[in-house]
Amino acid sequence: MSSVPVVTLSGGTSMPRIGLGTSPLDDGDAERVVSEALEAGYRLVDTAENYRNETGVGRALKGAPRDEVFVTSKFNKRWHSVDGARTAFEASADKLGVDYLDLLLIHWPNPDQDRYVEAWQGLIALREAGLVRAIGTSNFKPAHLQRLIDETGMAPEVNQVQLSPVWAKPVEREFHQQHGIVTEAWSPLGKGTDLLEHAAVRQIAEEHGRAPGQVVLRWETQQGVVPIPSRSTGRGSSRTWRCSTST
């Protein structure tokens, strides 16, 4: 990944500054889209147990050297225990056809179940065992993150949240910065909004000869956020995700 801009996580692992999200692709589409993305220059691919496309993503990964692609997955609440995290890792690694994951995340805190601290302890054990290079969370609020820190003494390296100029999440980003947590953005192009049609976004795009989505992704990377646009996200997204490695 020497030619790809990276951010260094708190544990020392280098993560690309932009990646490809794969929700809601099925296995067939995931294999095709991830293969195209790798050819376009992407080196971070994000999937999850819940997306049910890890097998397709894994087929696409066979076409690239393992050490050149940063592979992320996430696991569900049924695995919120120390042993459960290990089971979730093994299932994802098997479907993806890899020996290790670059980043493994708890997909949601599920506070009603109240076992996310156990899940976090399981991730810490996986990293210590060398099975994952970095560990983190997804959709965790500052209160959830603070509890992990208070009870284990260790902050996640990444927290993945819905974020775009429409949902800039200043409180979450400030908390992340204070604790050395990298903010990763899902739905970075404002899915379900008119963000890409906004007059200011379109004006900047025209002035710089870029697609509106590229302008949005550039804003996010300038904020220190790692966006993971999906192939199916937003109007005009095909050009955006194909070109966004040069934002």
Side-chain angles (χ1 to χ4, degrees):
M1 295 189 294
S2 59
S3 63
V4 178
V6 299
V7 58
T8 301
L9 304 180
S10 60
T13 301
S14 295
M15 183 172 79
R17 291 293 305 277
I18 191 166
L20 178 76
T22 60
S23 174
L25 304 173
D26 60 19
D27 278 325
D29 286 337
E31 180 180 6
R32 173 179 56 81
V33 169
V34 171
S35 295
E36 293 175 355
L38 292 173
E39 291 179 5
Y42 278 85
R43 289 298 178 265
L44 188 164
V45 178
D46 178 273
T47 183
E49 173 191 1
N50 209 41
Y51 300 167
R52 303 189 181 198
N53 62 18
E54 290 173 308
T55 299
V57 171
R59 289 198 294 259
L61 293 175
K62 292 179 180 179
R66 176 66 187 91
D67 61 354
E68 293 186 8
V69 185
F70 192 96
V71 183
T72 302
S73 194
K74 302 178 280 290
F75 63 89
N76 294 336
K77 68 178 183 179
R78 66 180 294 191
W79 311 116
H80 281 200
S81 68
V82 174
D83 292 338
R86 176 67 178 255
T87 300
F89 159 77
E90 292 175 348
S92 288
D94 182 63
K95 291 176 182 177
L96 289 163
V98 298
D99 295 325
Y100 66 92
L101 288 172
D102 296 283
L103 177 64
L104 184 58
L105 309 176
I106 304 170
H107 205 154
W108 294 88
N110 299 105
D112 291 344
Q113 180 178 262
D114 195 26
R115 297 184 65 185
Y116 62 86
V117 174
E118 296 175 56
W120 181 238
Q121 291 167 335
L123 280 180
I124 293 172
L126 286 171
R127 190 176 67 175
E128 291 175 347
L131 295 173
V132 296
R133 298 177 64 223
I135 54 178
T137 53
S138 177
N139 304 301
F140 275 52
K141 296 180 180 179
H144 303 134
L145 297 171
Q146 188 64 61
R147 184 178 174 195
L148 295 184
I149 296 168
D150 291 343
E151 297 194 22
T152 70
M154 185 173 296
E157 296 176 73
V158 174
N159 188 35
Q160 187 182 109
V161 296
Q162 183 178 11
L163 186 149
S164 72
V166 178
W167 301 98
K169 303 289 179 67
V171 174
E172 287 84 347
R173 285 163 50 204
E174 176 63 24
F175 184 92
H176 295 168
Q177 185 175 16
Q178 291 175 356
H179 296 280
I181 302 169
V182 169
T183 304
E184 192 172 38
W186 62 266
S187 196
L189 300 178
K191 183 178 180 180
T193 74
D194 62 353
L195 174 61
L196 299 185
E197 302 298 329
H198 193 283
V201 173
R202 298 196 69 83
Q203 179 181 346
I204 295 170
E206 291 174 6
E207 290 175 353
H208 293 274
R210 300 290 186 180
Q214 287 177 287
V215 171
V216 172
L217 295 175
R218 181 57 178 267
W219 176 84
E220 289 162 355
T221 58
Q222 288 177 330
Q223 302 300 309
V225 173
V226 176
I228 47 171
S230 297
R231 168 62 179 83
S232 57
T233 300
R235 196 173 160 187
S237 62
S238 180
R239 180 183 172 194
T240 296
W241 78 261
R242 286 176 183 273
C243 301
S244 61
T245 52
S246 61
T247 55

